[in-house]
Amino acid sequence: LDSRLKSSKLGCFKPMADYDWSWPRAIDRQAIDELFTLGFQAEGANIILVGPSGVGKTMIAKNLAHAVIRAGRTARFTTASAMLNELAGQDGLTALNRAYRRYTSPAILVIDELGYIAYGNRHADVLYEVVNRRHDLGRGVIVTTNRAFKEWGELFPNATCVVPLVDRLVHKSDIIEIDGDSYRLKEAQARARSRKARPTTI
């Protein structure tokens, strides 16, 4: 278990018991609870968590990966930028295939924050290759994004693989939309109010 957790690159995260279900304006709690039965992992299905920043997409994704690890399987967490920049920067086929294996071998791969910046064609190609290889292996992907699929063309301008990329992702997938304001902003505002309420000392 310790070895799987270390190789997962999950880092620190809050448990689902701390998730404030009353904060989002719209969230399908039943659908998310169903994900934690891990049926999607056995089916090789993808999970797409869509919503603005700060509504808990990464928290949910990390907890799902942790549940997979505790169930005896492997998982890997990465931001989209870290993975795509690593893959796009590989020199030579041998090094590239070695890098691909890091992202295709785990039972579950979490790709976080896809949609916050635009990428070039090379990045689109390597993302498609990761998703396609995992699709062929029957291994699911968990993606968090702030963009609807119809906007993905803006993420990868002029990339010809966007349509087949989305096609691979939505095949056997659960798409869960979360709407609301940033919880991190709420916490920051609460801390600011708390500081103002403290009595001044002389």
Side-chain angles (χ1 to χ4, degrees):
L1 176 60
D2 287 342
S3 176
R4 292 195 304 275
L5 283 170
K6 184 177 181 180
S7 63
S8 71
K9 310 296 183 183
L10 274 177
C12 298
F13 60 95
K14 292 182 179 180
M16 285 304 297
D18 290 348
Y19 191 86
D20 186 353
W21 295 97
S22 66
W23 179 249
R25 283 188 291 270
I27 187 171
D28 190 340
R29 181 172 183 174
Q30 183 177 351
I32 292 173
D33 286 343
E34 178 67 22
L35 295 180
F36 282 90
T37 66
L38 303 185
F40 74 93
Q41 191 270 313
E43 298 169 6
N46 299 321
I47 306 300
I48 317 296
L49 300 171
V50 186
S53 177
V55 294
K57 302 185 301 297
T58 300
M59 179 179 177
I60 295 168
K62 285 192 170 186
N63 275 275
L64 285 171
H66 187 254
V68 168
I69 292 168
R70 290 188 61 85
R73 305 302 300 276
T74 55
R76 186 179 181 93
F77 175 89
T78 181
T79 62
S81 292
M83 183 185 75
L84 298 183
N85 287 332
E86 177 188 353
L87 292 171
Q90 295 300 315
D91 290 325
L93 186 58
T94 300
L96 180 58
N97 281 328
R98 188 182 303 116
Y100 275 134
R101 282 194 294 273
R102 285 196 285 274
Y103 298 105
T104 57
S105 58
I108 286 294
L109 174 66
V110 178
I111 305 175
D112 193 36
E113 298 180 345
L114 184 58
Y116 290 89
I117 60 175
Y119 298 96
N121 290 356
R122 173 65 172 162
H123 295 85
D125 291 342
V126 295
L127 177 59
Y128 171 79
E129 189 66 23
V130 168
V131 171
N132 188 53
R133 289 188 185 198
R134 293 189 63 84
H135 179 271
D136 291 345
L137 292 167
R139 296 172 184 161
V141 179
I142 300 174
V143 174
T144 73
T145 180
N146 64 335
R147 298 287 196 101
F149 283 125
K150 64 182 180 181
E151 299 173 343
W152 279 33
E154 300 172 13
L155 300 181
F156 306 102
N158 305 315
T160 58
C161 64
V162 173
V163 172
L165 168 62
V166 171
D167 182 66
R168 295 295 191 281
L169 281 173
V170 299
H171 180 230
K172 288 201 307 183
S173 70
D174 291 317
I175 302 173
I176 297 178
E177 297 184 13
I178 306 173
D179 185 34
D181 298 320
S182 172
Y183 195 82
R184 288 188 290 270
L185 177 59
K186 174 193 174 186
E187 289 183 325
Q189 292 171 338
R191 285 195 298 271
R193 288 193 297 269
S194 177
R195 285 195 297 271
K196 289 180 179 179
R198 293 173 191 164
T200 56
T201 58
I202 302 176

